Amino acid sequence: MSRSIELLARMHEVRSVTAEARGRQTLTGDVILAVFGRVQHKLPVGMDLLMAKYVHDAQAADRLITVMSTCLDDKPLQRKDLAMALSCVALDVFCDKPVASQHRQLAALWREYSDQAKRSGRLIKRWQVKINNLQRDVIFCSTTTAKERLRTSVNELESLIIKERLRIDNYARCQSRTSAVCPRCNGTGTTINGMCPSCSGHGMFVPTVDNVRQHLRHIGVGRVSDKLWDNELKPWFESCMYRLHVESQAATDLLTKELDREKE
């Protein structure tokens, strides 16, 4: 991540930021914001892309979708509805969000390897041990009242286990839709045993073109013919990705240039 992008992300955190250069030169928060404003004015699309990706700015993402929809109006495409859906997918891929066809795999990993899942697993194990002990005590109870009291405690613990499993399932599903970072290696690509086997050492689940095509089926579009995909939709998706990277890189370069100028 470049210094300019790091400043962009940090400036939108709760804490204030001062960018220190070598020597006595210092960029204050006001100067940095002014630079961001100038870049936003000159390259609004590129700046919105950086805001959407690194700051998770929903309004910037909405503006980008509007821009893509306007661009699509001038294109001679047969299925503009599918092309618009792919435009939104391209934006998600650019922002490192998984596509629908990857959600199940990511959810399974979040359910097993996330910190939340590990804490949940330890909690469920403790409850299960208590249940086993209570069930053993039931056998040796001499009165019906004592047995019923123990069975009630067992039922309460079993209910807690069910609720906890539902909670972690919901958490895993939500996480699988927000980030493509591998939960097993936390984006490093490695585990204590070497290369992460879940993400094959990439640290992220980068969608392939096949994943993108499957995404259309997952959102209810159904199967897309090979002819339509090869001749129209795939080239459109690839052109969207190319433009997103070009626009964002131009904004990054201009940010770096403007910040360097302020340091002089």
Side-chain angles (χ1 to χ4, degrees):
M1 182 184 295
S2 69
R3 178 62 174 164
S4 58
I5 298 302
E6 182 183 352
L7 285 175
L8 175 68
R10 291 177 59 195
M11 281 300 294
H12 291 83
E13 293 178 353
V14 176
R15 297 176 299 174
S16 61
V17 174
T18 298
E20 296 183 357
R22 293 184 178 180
R24 297 181 179 178
Q25 295 169 327
T26 300
L27 292 180
T28 63
D30 290 341
V31 173
I32 297 172
L33 287 176
V35 170
F36 290 164
R38 290 202 300 269
V39 176
Q40 179 74 49
H41 179 72
K42 293 180 180 178
L43 299 174
V45 173
M47 196 63 180
D48 278 345
L49 284 168
L50 299 182
M51 293 290 290
K53 181 170 184 175
Y54 298 105
V55 187
H56 311 296
D57 189 330
Q59 292 182 343
D62 290 341
R63 289 193 296 269
L64 289 167
I65 292 174
T66 300
V67 169
M68 290 188 290
S69 177
T70 302
C71 293
L72 191 59
D73 291 338
D74 300 328
K75 302 296 180 180
L77 301 176
Q78 295 179 4
R79 294 295 304 272
K80 290 189 176 183
D81 56 332
L82 298 184
M84 187 62 217
L86 286 176
S87 299
C88 296
V89 175
L91 180 59
D92 284 344
V93 172
F94 174 81
C95 294
D96 297 329
K97 294 181 180 180
V99 296
S101 58
Q102 296 176 301
H103 290 169
R104 181 178 297 180
Q105 181 184 9
L106 279 166
L109 291 172
W110 279 102
R111 236 182 334 261
E112 185 173 359
Y113 296 106
S114 66
D115 291 337
Q116 285 263 4
K118 292 174 182 177
R119 287 194 294 269
S120 181
R122 290 193 295 267
L123 186 60
I124 289 174
K125 284 182 180 179
R126 288 200 295 270
W127 286 336
Q128 191 61 58
V129 169
K130 289 182 180 180
I131 289 173
N132 294 338
N133 292 335
L134 290 171
Q135 289 175 335
R136 182 190 58 202
D137 293 341
V138 169
I139 299 175
F140 298 101
C141 279
S142 57
T143 65
T144 302
T145 302
K147 288 182 179 181
E148 288 300 322
R149 185 168 61 249
L150 291 174
R151 290 193 181 105
T152 299
S153 297
V154 169
N155 291 336
E156 290 175 350
L157 289 170
E158 288 177 340
S159 178
L160 288 175
I161 290 176
I162 292 172
K163 289 180 180 179
E164 182 62 21
R165 285 174 174 163
L166 289 174
R167 186 192 71 80
I168 203 64
D169 282 346
N170 184 61
Y171 169 78
R173 285 194 299 271
C174 291
Q175 290 299 113
S176 71
R177 286 163 170 76
T178 59
S179 174
V181 174
C182 177
R184 187 168 187 172
C185 64
N186 293 319
T188 63
T190 59
T191 63
I192 57 174
N193 297 320
M195 184 183 73
C196 177
S198 297
C199 64
S200 301
H202 297 297
M204 296 185 66
F205 287 84
V206 180
T208 64
V209 175
D210 287 338
N211 290 140
V212 173
R213 185 175 182 179
Q214 292 170 12
H215 173 88
L216 296 176
R217 187 163 66 250
H218 278 80
I219 63 175
V221 173
R223 291 186 178 275
V224 175
S225 68
D226 292 339
K227 182 179 179 180
L228 177 62
W229 176 255
D230 293 333
N231 295 341
E232 183 170 302
L233 297 180
K234 181 181 177 182
W236 172 253
F237 174 78
E238 291 174 342
S239 68
C240 286
M241 290 301 303
Y242 175 77
R243 182 182 176 188
L244 294 178
H245 285 289
V246 169
E247 294 279 358
S248 63
Q249 188 59 53
T252 301
D253 293 343
L254 184 57
L255 269 178
T256 303
K257 179 180 178 180
E258 292 290 333
L259 288 171
D260 289 343
R261 180 182 300 174
E262 291 293 340
K263 294 177 185 178
E264 296 176 354

